[in-house]
Amino acid sequence: MKRVIAVLLVGVLGFFIYSNLYSTGNGNLFPKFGEAKLSERVSNKFIKKSVNGNESEVIYNQTKDAESGSANMVTSIVVNYRSFDTLGEVTVLFVSALGVGLLLSGKSRMKFKTPPNFILRSAVRVIAGIILITGVYIFIHGHLTPGGGFPGGSMIASAVLLFYISDDEFKTKVKAFKFLEGTAGSLYLIFGLLGLSLGGYFLYNFLPTGVVGNLFSAGIVPIIYIFVGLKVGSELSNLISDFLSEEGK
């Protein structure tokens, strides 16, 4: 019986699609197949959309109180207009890290067959600091320049990976990273729910957006990117620690 119902549903759905997309006319609900002018739809609407309410040109370091306030258009989309999708990405990363932790987490550090030499250890101590600072810079300035929470957090984790491969005694303080990961993730959700209660949708930008191009601008956007950067960096660092650990003997 279930198969009959399933076949009927597929048939009705197929007839609906055919009658609307492949009809000889313009279709009842959709334009005729292959004749939809996409350039006149979503993209054009957002390209012409005003960000300050008066259709005037947005000028770097001059325009005040723009809708998003971010000089980086991609950041506005990822953190503001497409915030639910970003929440899903952060959740996927969290579930992945949780799965790896449950399967691979051990108590002792895995030893390499060939111990790292002095040159590698010394070089990493110099390079890792630069990478860490650059990672923090990237997610703090994500609303002004290309970058943001995910690439900045990934750079922090790459510095941790360098410490692991250059010193077979190195081991991160997992509890501290888990606390940082949980705190950053919780604050991300709290700000999102504050936007929902104050503006009507998740991650609504309820703080003043300031002047486009200033470090302290774009409302909650840079704050959210800092939370995302810390969460991604700590989560990926925990992943590295789990992959390079083994059960105590």
Side-chain angles (χ1 to χ4, degrees):
M1 187 61 185
K2 291 181 180 177
R3 293 180 180 178
V4 175
I5 295 175
V7 170
L8 287 174
L9 287 175
V10 172
V12 171
L13 182 61
F15 177 76
F16 173 78
I17 294 174
Y18 178 82
S19 62
N20 283 284
L21 291 181
Y22 294 94
S23 62
T24 54
N26 292 326
N28 297 322
L29 297 177
F30 308 108
K32 190 177 179 181
F33 182 73
E35 295 185 357
K37 297 180 180 178
L38 297 180
S39 61
E40 297 179 356
R41 293 190 165 195
V42 179
S43 57
N44 224 28
K45 174 184 175 184
F46 280 97
I47 288 173
K48 293 181 177 179
K49 186 175 185 296
S50 169
V51 295
N52 51 12
N54 56 13
E55 304 289 342
S56 61
E57 183 183 2
V58 177
I59 302 175
Y60 194 80
N61 273 339
Q62 291 187 22
T63 301
K64 295 181 179 178
D65 302 325
E67 182 178 296
S68 162
S70 173
N72 182 357
M73 185 184 296
V74 176
T75 297
S76 298
I77 295 171
V78 171
V79 182
N80 203 209
Y81 303 126
R82 203 200 64 175
S83 53
F84 260 127
D85 189 69
T86 304
L87 175 64
E89 292 171 353
V90 173
T91 305
V92 168
L93 182 60
F94 169 73
V95 173
S96 303
L98 179 64
V100 172
L102 291 174
L103 293 173
L104 300 179
S105 180
K107 296 179 180 178
S108 60
R109 167 68 200 278
M110 182 184 295
K111 299 290 184 181
F112 296 129
K113 292 181 180 178
T114 303
N117 58 37
F118 169 76
I119 297 176
L120 179 60
R121 286 198 298 270
S122 300
V124 166
R125 288 173 186 172
V126 177
I127 296 173
I130 299 173
I131 294 175
L132 283 172
I133 293 172
T134 307
V136 172
Y137 175 89
I138 284 176
F139 67 66
I140 287 179
H141 292 78
H143 61 301
L144 302 177
T145 57
F150 283 93
S154 300
M155 289 195 70
I156 292 175
S158 68
V160 173
L161 175 61
L162 284 178
F163 280 122
Y164 265 100
I165 63 176
S166 65
D167 185 357
D168 55 1
E169 299 293 331
F170 179 81
K171 196 173 188 307
T172 55
K173 295 181 179 179
V174 177
K175 289 185 178 179
F177 273 110
K178 288 191 180 300
F179 174 78
L180 180 63
E181 172 193 341
T183 304
S186 300
L187 289 172
Y188 175 84
L189 281 176
I190 289 171
F191 268 71
L193 294 174
L194 277 175
L196 185 64
S197 61
L198 296 175
Y201 61 84
F202 189 76
L203 277 182
Y204 171 76
N205 201 346
F206 55 86
L207 295 179
T209 54
V211 179
V212 174
N214 286 359
L215 179 61
F216 296 100
S217 64
I220 69 168
V221 172
I223 300 174
I224 294 301
Y225 255 166
I226 290 173
F227 294 155
V228 173
L230 294 176
K231 181 172 176 56
V232 170
S234 54
E235 259 175 357
L236 293 180
S237 299
N238 282 334
L239 277 172
I240 295 168
S241 176
D242 290 335
F243 276 117
L244 293 176
S245 63
E246 57 187 0
E247 292 294 336
K249 298 179 180 177

